[in-house]
Amino acid sequence: MRTQVVTIHDVARAAGVSPATVSRVFNGGNVTPARAQSVQEAAAALGFAPNRVARSLRKQRSSVIALIIPDIENPFFTSLARGVEDAAQRTSLSVVLCNSDEDTDKERRYLEVALGEQMAGVIVAAASRDETDLGPLTARGVPVVAVDRRPRDAEVDAVRVDDRHGGEVATRHLVRAGYRRIACITGPAGASTSEERLAGYRAALHSAREEGVVGDDAYVRHADFRVEGGRAAMRDLLALPEPPDAVFVANNLMTIGVLDALGEVGRTPPGVGVLSFGDVPWASLVRPSLTAVELPSYELGRTAADLLLQRMEGSASPLQTVVLRTTLQVRESTAGPLTN
Amino acid sequence: MRTQVVTIHDVARAAGVSPATVSRVFNGGNVTPARAQSVQEAAAALGFAPNRVARSLRKQRSSVIALIIPDIENPFFTSLARGVEDAAQRTSLSVVLCNSDEDTDKERRYLEVALGEQMAGVIVAAASRDETDLGPLTARGVPVVAVDRRPRDAEVDAVRVDDRHGGEVATRHLVRAGYRRIACITGPAGASTSEERLAGYRAALHSAREEGVVGDDAYVRHADFRVEGGRAAMRDLLALPEPPDAVFVANNLMTIGVLDALGEVGRTPPGVGVLSFGDVPWASLVRPSLTAVELPSYELGRTAADLLLQRMEGSASPLQTVVLRTTLQVRESTAGPLTN
DNA sequence: CCTGCCGCTGAAAAGGATTTCATCCCTTGA
DNA sequence: TCAAGGGATGAAATCCTTTTCAGCGGCAGG
């Protein structure tokens, strides 16, 4: 129950040196080998573990980096997290994960924690394009990388995918497959990914006007990037006088809800075309197989971490935005309306 | 780039009081209302944000709690994490998540971080029953709760499910459904959940000997609690001269691998019975529907957090282990070998 | 032999908050 | 009216480590 079992002073006393020397032993200063060894031994004997809080206070920087994601239950983000971890693994930094739950308040709190705990760096997939404020962090010189989602006006490095282009390619694919009433279920209006993917959808529809494709916002729904939101939005679309014959769903979890809603009314792909932006988790179990825009989630995380590490090492190169490519993986769920 | 933009001293000077008074304003000490207000105003005007590191150093305790889980890509653990978060939400504590990746080294590192960062508490789903050492934390009086998995000899509160009983009920169900060569794919030998679920399986088989059920360790496989491990183990079982006609899979992700492996050779449940310990994520999409032992993952997290919070508030009641019940949810995948 | 330099070392300051302790002043009860 | 008590306040100690600075001793070059 003692508070600090053993400090650097105790080690110093045991080894017959000053605390400064003990510190140098553990931080690579110049110390005579013999003395260094006796310090090591004393530390081991006493079970000394450095107080990271005191160290952070003095160094004005801790040795952990924060990864703030909006939905820990979305495999896309956990895969991204793995990428970040694996990149950090090679350094002495630890990664802690914070789940903002798409809630800007929670997110703000975590950003405050990151600032107050003097974290060495922050990677954030922003809950909101407008409300996420990275200013305090950047103002204090904390390296920050925005991943997947880009807060507006933030002066930070960024890594994302070509959302707009991916959305356009996906929608065009539905057009070519023969669908004519193509709906879009996208995410919350505040998120950059929602907007971009929707923009891609709109662009594709716009250029397909002559082909008799309905381009109408009556077929656009904003949901919450979660299963339930997708389900509700799909139900809503199905209740239209003239329901869509295909749907472009802007993320993986909402696609699950969409498939559920379709199942409820006995309709299945590809009779109704379903195209997911982002692979549905464990898609191998889903029948029919799902056409999806594949996202390099792991690489997104790894790239973000690499960028962050560069900045932490003092790189002063101008801010950069890395855009990773998505690829459309065509499978059975968009085989066309006529086949069914 | 300034290190500490504004400290409690700056606020004190601006408000014409001492730093002690500023501290009291933010920590609920006795301060004259008028003075308190002028401090608040000064703090707001200067954009003061308390340095949590300094605070932690002085208080010998930070205001974050760590949740260490072995697989961030397993929805079981992310759901558990949500439970922890929601419970912590009601306090001023923040939760950070650490992914040990079933790796005792990574886990040890995170435990060191938790100790060194003087975290207010730790909830851990141990990567190993024997190698996970919670001693340093408990020795320093940090409240610790073991969740889901129980490290041997650890002097901590624990929350888990009735793994053994659940495994027994599940296996008995397979027997009653008519399966006779029942395999078990369990997790790594070091994890308590692996062992317990396997023990339940063995107990059920043992008492079913007279019914012609094969109870033989040739049908037991240890895998890694992941998709690939499940797939490999199932392939291995299918290669036996007399392959099993049912399999009890000790976790959700391995079940996905099992289903894949079965699909590869054109066999599907319930021809081969498949029973999963823990619901497969987004099971609604899986056909046939899967019989599973349902686990209260969210409640596991919430209960663990509640226990932790009690300890942090100083509860001195004797150590307790809370065991939550599992329920067998019978569905199509174990309808019996004859129906197919 | 002297000077200068360099490497090693310890004393002490610094980092920013909380908390103890002493002080002051005001209120209340006798 | 006086004493006791209690609330509000500030000075200073404290938490533990890193880092600066100065000093010391030894070595090399002049």
Side-chain angles (χ1 to χ4, degrees):
Chain A
M1 275 303 202
R2 291 274 316 284
T3 51
Q4 180 73 22
V5 182
V6 40
T7 76
I8 212 174
H9 282 86
D10 302 321
V11 177
R13 197 171 334 112
V17 301
S18 77
T21 298
V22 177
S23 173
R24 282 190 269 257
V25 169
F26 285 102
N27 294 286
N30 279 330
V31 179
T32 310
R35 221 181 278 248
Q37 194 188 339
S38 77
V39 168
Q40 300 274 19
E41 286 168 4
L46 294 170
F48 169 73
N51 183 323
R52 303 167 71 106
V53 176
R55 160 188 300 209
S56 297
L57 177 60
R58 176 61 230 232
K59 300 192 37 160
Q60 299 284 74
R61 167 143 306 184
S62 84
S63 59
V64 339
I65 71 185
L67 169 60
I68 305 178
I69 58 177
D71 186 2
I72 196 188
E73 302 197 88
N74 187 335
F76 168 76
F77 289 113
T78 55
S79 166
L80 188 157
R82 286 292 310 261
V84 171
E85 279 187 354
D86 287 355
Q89 193 69 11
R90 285 171 281 128
T91 71
S92 62
L93 296 160
S94 305
V95 179
V96 300
L97 206 67
C98 310
N99 177 30
S100 71
D101 217 13
E102 300 279 9
D103 176 338
T104 53
D105 280 342
K106 268 195 184 181
E107 182 179 70
R108 187 164 28 71
R109 210 146 40 217
Y110 278 122
L111 288 169
E112 282 169 13
V113 171
L115 187 67
E117 297 279 353
Q118 302 187 160
M119 292 197 177
V122 176
I123 299 176
V124 57
S128 154
R129 196 187 37 195
D130 296 316
E131 296 180 50
T132 297
D133 184 9
L134 304 177
L137 283 166
T138 54
R140 259 202 230 171
V142 179
V144 177
V145 175
V147 69
D148 186 50
R149 315 219 192 139
R150 183 145 179 54
R152 202 202 296 284
D153 307 327
E155 295 286 317
V156 298
D157 293 305
V159 185
R160 57 186 191 83
V161 299
D162 53 354
D163 291 292
R164 193 194 147 103
H165 179 252
E168 192 168 347
V169 168
T171 309
R172 201 181 306 141
H173 166 74
L174 289 170
V175 171
R176 295 214 179 120
Y179 299 103
R180 284 298 169 265
R181 299 187 306 282
I182 302 173
C184 174
I185 300 177
T186 189
S192 67
T193 45
S194 297
E195 309 286 8
E196 294 288 311
R197 291 166 196 177
L198 177 59
Y201 159 86
R202 285 195 171 125
L205 287 198
H206 188 75
S207 58
R209 272 172 314 176
E210 299 87 17
E211 304 167 43
V213 173
V214 180
D216 188 339
D217 275 4
Y219 283 149
V220 172
R221 292 290 179 280
H222 282 271
D224 61 357
F225 275 148
R226 293 184 200 169
V227 176
E228 275 314 312
R231 194 197 319 267
M234 191 68 225
R235 280 185 186 146
D236 194 38
L237 288 168
L238 287 170
L240 288 175
E242 197 159 28
D245 62 357
V247 57
F248 165 53
V249 193
N251 95 330
N252 52 357
L253 294 190
M254 293 195 300
T255 301
I256 292 170
V258 164
L259 292 171
D260 278 354
L262 287 173
E264 285 169 4
V265 298
R267 307 194 60 178
T268 55
V272 173
V274 174
L275 199 163
S276 176
F277 200 103
D279 252 329
V280 164
W282 299 290
S284 61
L285 300 183
V286 180
R287 294 287 174 275
S289 59
L290 283 177
T291 297
V293 177
E294 299 206 322
L295 307 180
S297 50
Y298 181 89
E299 288 73 20
L300 226 34
R302 210 159 45 81
T303 309
D306 285 341
L307 228 54
L308 190 75
L309 293 175
Q310 278 176 35
R311 288 291 174 202
M312 290 175 46
E313 284 162 9
S315 157
S317 58
L319 291 177
Q320 53 182 309
T321 295
V322 178
V323 179
L324 300 184
R325 278 196 52 182
T326 61
T327 54
L328 180 67
Q329 198 60 245
V330 178
R331 300 201 189 86
E332 297 163 9
S333 68
T334 57
L338 309 175
T339 64
N340 205 0
Chain B
M1 275 302 200
R2 291 273 316 285
T3 52
Q4 179 72 24
V5 182
V6 39
T7 76
I8 211 174
H9 283 85
D10 303 320
V11 176
R13 198 172 332 113
V17 300
S18 76
T21 298
V22 177
S23 172
R24 282 189 269 258
V25 169
F26 286 102
N27 295 285
N30 281 329
V31 179
T32 311
R35 218 181 280 248
Q37 195 188 338
S38 75
V39 168
Q40 301 273 20
E41 287 168 3
L46 295 170
F48 169 72
N51 182 321
R52 302 167 71 107
V53 176
R55 162 189 298 211
S56 298
L57 178 61
R58 176 61 230 230
K59 301 194 29 162
Q60 300 284 74
R61 166 143 309 184
S62 85
S63 60
V64 338
I65 71 185
L67 169 60
I68 304 178
I69 59 177
D71 186 2
I72 196 188
E73 301 197 89
N74 187 336
F76 168 76
F77 288 113
T78 56
S79 166
L80 188 156
R82 287 292 311 262
V84 171
E85 278 186 354
D86 287 355
Q89 194 68 10
R90 286 171 281 130
T91 72
S92 61
L93 296 161
S94 305
V95 179
V96 300
L97 207 66
C98 310
N99 177 29
S100 71
D101 215 14
E102 300 278 9
D103 176 339
T104 52
D105 280 342
K106 268 196 183 180
E107 183 179 71
R108 188 163 28 72
R109 211 148 39 219
Y110 279 122
L111 289 169
E112 281 169 14
V113 171
L115 186 67
E117 297 279 354
Q118 301 186 161
M119 293 198 176
V122 176
I123 299 176
V124 56
S128 155
R129 195 188 36 194
D130 296 316
E131 296 180 48
T132 298
D133 184 10
L134 304 177
L137 284 166
T138 55
R140 260 203 229 170
V142 178
V144 177
V145 175
V147 69
D148 186 49
R149 314 213 192 146
R150 184 145 179 53
R152 202 203 296 282
D153 307 326
E155 294 287 316
V156 299
D157 293 305
V159 185
R160 55 185 191 84
V161 299
D162 54 355
D163 291 291
R164 195 194 145 104
H165 179 252
E168 190 167 348
V169 168
T171 309
R172 201 181 305 141
H173 166 73
L174 289 171
V175 171
R176 295 216 180 120
Y179 298 104
R180 285 299 169 263
R181 296 186 309 281
I182 302 172
C184 174
I185 299 177
T186 189
S192 67
T193 45
S194 296
E195 309 287 9
E196 294 287 311
R197 291 167 196 175
L198 176 60
Y201 159 86
R202 285 195 171 127
L205 286 198
H206 188 76
S207 59
R209 272 173 311 174
E210 299 87 18
E211 304 167 43
V213 173
V214 181
D216 188 338
D217 275 4
Y219 283 151
V220 172
R221 293 289 179 281
H222 282 271
D224 61 357
F225 275 149
R226 292 182 200 172
V227 177
E228 276 313 312
R231 192 196 321 267
M234 191 68 224
R235 281 185 186 146
D236 195 39
L237 288 168
L238 287 170
L240 287 175
E242 195 159 32
D245 62 356
V247 56
F248 165 54
V249 193
N251 96 330
N252 53 356
L253 294 190
M254 293 196 300
T255 300
I256 292 171
V258 164
L259 293 171
D260 277 354
L262 286 173
E264 285 169 4
V265 298
R267 307 195 59 178
T268 56
V272 173
V274 174
L275 199 163
S276 176
F277 201 103
D279 252 328
V280 164
W282 299 291
S284 62
L285 299 183
V286 180
R287 295 285 173 277
S289 60
L290 282 177
T291 298
V293 178
E294 299 206 321
L295 307 181
S297 51
Y298 181 89
E299 288 73 18
L300 227 34
R302 210 159 46 78
T303 309
D306 286 341
L307 229 53
L308 190 75
L309 293 174
Q310 279 176 33
R311 290 289 175 203
M312 290 175 48
E313 283 162 10
S315 158
S317 59
L319 291 179
Q320 52 183 308
T321 295
V322 178
V323 179
L324 300 184
R325 278 197 52 181
T326 61
T327 54
L328 181 67
Q329 197 62 243
V330 178
R331 300 202 188 87
E332 297 162 10
S333 69
T334 56
L338 308 175
T339 64
N340 205 1

